[in-house]
Amino acid sequence: MIQAMYDGRFVIVVTMAILDEYTDVLRRPIFATKYGIGPFEVAGFVEFIDDNAVILTDIVSSPIIVRDDMDQKFLDAAHTANAAFLVTGDNDLLELVGDPRLGSLRIVTARQFLDTIDRA
């Protein structure tokens, strides 16, 4: 997926709140134990996103309210960016699939997204 981003096949869009959440989650002990992701890898990921992503600063709220308010920032960022895809494994976001208020935004899993860009 990283190579596809470098090839210009898609752009990552985040906010500072999203980037902070990624950092906090990746620093959890389970990621070090189960996946071998330590402070160096977390710092590299944050630097990669900082260098390559579009970081939104003025956020427009989505007309849809997510069941878990901690996930609202992801939908709001996608809405603000007029994104084609919101890639997630979170059930509170995935339950919104098919909601007509999403317009052209597609909420998909990482596997679905990879399959889509592989076909393009």
Side-chain angles (χ1 to χ4, degrees):
M1 183 159 14
I2 299 302
Q3 187 60 50
M5 189 185 86
Y6 277 132
D7 292 344
R9 295 175 67 198
F10 69 93
V11 175
I12 295 174
V13 176
V14 296
T15 64
M16 288 309 298
I18 290 170
L19 192 53
D20 288 345
E21 182 167 332
Y22 288 165
T23 303
D24 290 343
V25 169
L26 289 173
R27 287 183 178 155
R28 293 179 183 163
I30 185 75
F31 286 91
T33 312
K34 190 171 182 178
Y35 303 108
I37 298 173
F40 180 76
E41 289 82 10
V42 173
F45 173 76
V46 171
E47 183 177 336
F48 173 82
I49 296 295
D50 194 43
D51 290 345
N52 294 285
V54 172
I55 301 178
L56 302 172
T57 55
D58 296 319
I59 310 304
V60 177
S61 296
S62 167
I64 303 171
I65 304 300
V66 181
R67 178 173 61 191
D68 179 352
D69 64 344
M70 296 295 292
D71 297 322
Q72 190 68 44
K73 63 183 156 283
F74 298 100
L75 185 59
D76 290 347
H79 176 76
T80 299
N82 196 27
F85 295 93
L86 191 164
V87 181
T88 185
D90 186 282
N91 288 329
D92 293 315
L93 291 165
L94 289 168
E95 79 166 2
L96 300 173
V97 170
D99 188 314
R101 296 173 295 169
L102 290 172
S104 62
L105 175 64
R106 291 179 51 197
I107 299 176
V108 296
T109 64
R111 171 57 26 216
Q112 291 169 322
F113 181 70
L114 288 172
D115 290 346
T116 300
I117 64 172
D118 284 345
R119 286 190 301 262

